[in-house]
Amino acid sequence: MSKVKEKDIEEIRRAVEAEFPDDPALQQVHIARKIIAKEAEFEGLSFLEYIKLLGKQVKKVQ
């Protein structure tokens, strides 16, 4: 479960839509990236460290 609040996601969405107004696909990519970055921040990790951690968790499940 994500620790990112709906309010934060909405702010991210608005900022990204303003940055990329005519490209919904690019908006979705950037929204996802920024949400993941926010989750990493909550865990006290860098973006890359957080992605590596998630990758290790997936490998354990398989």
Side-chain angles (χ1 to χ4, degrees), residues 4-61:
V4 181
K5 296 186 184 334
E6 285 295 322
K7 180 188 85 161
D8 295 329
I9 293 172
E10 186 61 28
E11 288 175 12
I12 290 169
R13 186 188 61 76
R14 275 190 253 116
V16 170
E17 285 178 352
E19 191 173 351
F20 304 101
D22 297 323
D23 195 341
L26 194 55
Q27 289 173 7
Q28 291 300 308
V29 169
H30 280 277
I31 289 169
R33 183 184 55 79
K34 287 180 180 274
I35 290 171
I36 292 169
K38 188 70 101 170
E39 289 174 350
E41 183 182 314
F42 287 139
E43 296 294 327
L45 301 169
S46 71
F47 182 82
L48 184 57
E49 291 169 332
Y50 188 70
I51 295 299
K52 287 180 180 180
L53 177 67
L54 292 177
K56 287 179 184 177
Q57 291 174 353
V58 169
K59 286 181 182 178
K60 287 180 184 178
V61 172

